Amino acid sequence: METKEDTKLCPKFMKTFEILGRKWNGLIIEVLLNNGPSRFKDLTGAVCTCSDRVLVERLKELEEGLVERRTYVDSALIEYALTERGEAMRPLMDEIHEWADETYGAKA
């Protein structure tokens, strides 16, 4: 008989879903995968139903490994870009798209 201890989830798996399961994080990653480095105003336009305050919070969370905040000398320009670890999520996001198409129907 399987016990609760036998079905304990891997902490790395749990951490991954803690990040991806947060509202907006997957969409932010998707926008950066599709559009490349983006300014905050471009992200607000792409993830339009997310408030600026929440978008700032999510970007700060994602800066802990998946997203980097780029600033430039002598410029007010700030961009957000995926790190190598963030880019490595492309196959995963492609699989999620495929699953969604199969489950909910292909894009119109």
Side-chain angles (χ1 to χ4, degrees):
M1 183 170 148
E2 194 171 284
T3 66
K4 190 174 185 177
E5 189 66 29
D6 293 334
T7 59
K8 192 172 185 179
L9 295 174
C10 169
K12 291 181 264 184
F13 181 85
M14 290 173 54
K15 177 68 175 171
T16 300
F17 272 89
E18 180 181 312
I19 293 166
L20 291 180
R22 301 273 331 237
K23 191 169 184 178
W24 310 115
N25 284 358
L27 294 176
I28 294 166
I29 292 166
E30 181 70 12
V31 167
L32 292 172
L33 281 169
N34 290 332
N35 301 347
S38 300
R39 297 178 72 173
F40 184 82
K41 69 179 183 83
D42 298 324
L43 290 170
T44 59
V47 188
C48 56
T49 56
C50 180
S51 72
D52 289 358
R53 180 185 62 79
V54 172
L55 184 58
V56 167
E57 288 175 11
R58 295 301 180 265
L59 286 166
K60 284 184 181 181
E61 291 169 5
L62 292 170
E63 283 178 48
E64 294 178 17
L66 298 175
V67 171
E68 70 175 319
R69 183 177 186 265
R70 296 177 179 171
T71 57
Y72 299 91
V73 178
D74 298 327
S75 174
L77 177 66
I78 297 171
E79 287 183 324
Y80 294 90
L82 291 172
T83 63
E84 192 173 311
R85 283 177 51 201
E87 283 287 343
M89 295 189 70
R90 186 176 301 278
L92 171 65
M93 298 302 273
D94 289 344
E95 288 293 325
I96 291 171
H97 277 285
E98 187 175 318
W99 177 85
D101 287 346
E102 291 172 4
T103 303
Y104 302 110
K107 296 176 188 174

